[in-house]
Amino acid sequence: LQEKSRASDFARMRTISSRSLDRAQTTIEDFVKSYFVLYGLGPAEYLKLFPVLTFVEATIYELDELNEEQTQRGDTAPTEDFDRILSGLIGVLQAKELYDEKVATELRKGIRYWERERSICKALTRCDHIRSERRKD
């Protein structure tokens, strides 16, 4: 019962904008055209997966939008909104039993990419010298 309540809380959380949905559309179209054919999936499977595909992709784009805003301001640490939206994404994936170590690893890679992007952009705006960082992956 508590897990259903938690899933319901995440389902009601506002996390994505219309712009993020628009950006997600092209990616989802490419994904469906490429991978559904390879796996013999048709319209019924697409319609079944449509809500989660759309939610995940649009949420990733929303996080990217927040990262861009942070980069423009010269912020290097994630904002409360960023953390809230990321937690919401993870919560929904967990509630749908779609969150596993592979997904967690990919999200960590994306977060690390955004951290590096913010750091590099801040260095460029301050005209600091950019030092190569050893790859930590």
Side-chain angles (χ1 to χ4, degrees):
L1 184 62
Q2 190 176 26
E3 187 63 31
K4 283 190 177 194
S5 174
R6 185 171 174 237
S8 178
D9 290 345
F10 284 121
R12 288 192 305 268
M13 187 181 290
R14 290 179 178 87
T15 60
I16 55 178
S17 66
S18 178
R19 178 178 162 89
S20 295
L21 283 168
D22 291 343
R23 291 179 66 197
Q25 179 183 357
T26 304
T27 303
I28 293 168
E29 286 175 5
D30 291 343
F31 177 81
V32 169
K33 288 176 184 175
S34 300
Y35 290 101
F36 274 48
V37 173
L38 288 174
Y39 292 99
L41 302 174
E45 290 85 7
Y46 170 73
L47 292 172
K48 180 180 176 185
L49 295 171
F50 175 77
V52 74
L53 287 173
T54 303
F55 175 78
V56 169
E57 194 62 30
T59 301
I60 295 293
Y61 276 113
E62 187 67 23
L63 290 168
D64 188 57
E65 292 286 328
L66 287 171
N67 188 66
E68 293 296 326
E69 290 172 12
Q70 289 174 253
T71 299
Q72 290 174 357
R73 288 191 310 265
D75 296 342
T76 55
T79 64
E80 284 183 29
D81 281 343
F82 187 95
D83 290 340
R84 178 184 56 81
I85 291 170
L86 180 61
S87 293
L89 173 61
I90 291 169
V92 168
L93 291 172
Q94 287 171 334
K96 294 183 176 294
E97 298 180 357
L98 296 171
Y99 190 78
D100 60 14
E101 189 53 40
K102 288 181 182 180
V103 172
T105 298
E106 291 303 316
L107 285 175
R108 281 192 300 271
K109 287 179 181 178
I111 291 166
R112 185 68 183 133
Y113 173 85
W114 284 324
E115 288 170 352
R116 289 176 177 161
E117 181 179 48
R118 289 191 306 267
S119 178
I120 290 168
C121 289
K122 184 173 183 173
L124 288 172
T125 59
R126 290 177 31 203
C127 297
D128 288 343
H129 294 288
I130 300 173
R131 298 184 188 129
S132 2
E133 182 180 15
R134 293 175 87 182
R135 190 175 175 159
K136 296 179 184 178
D137 299 285

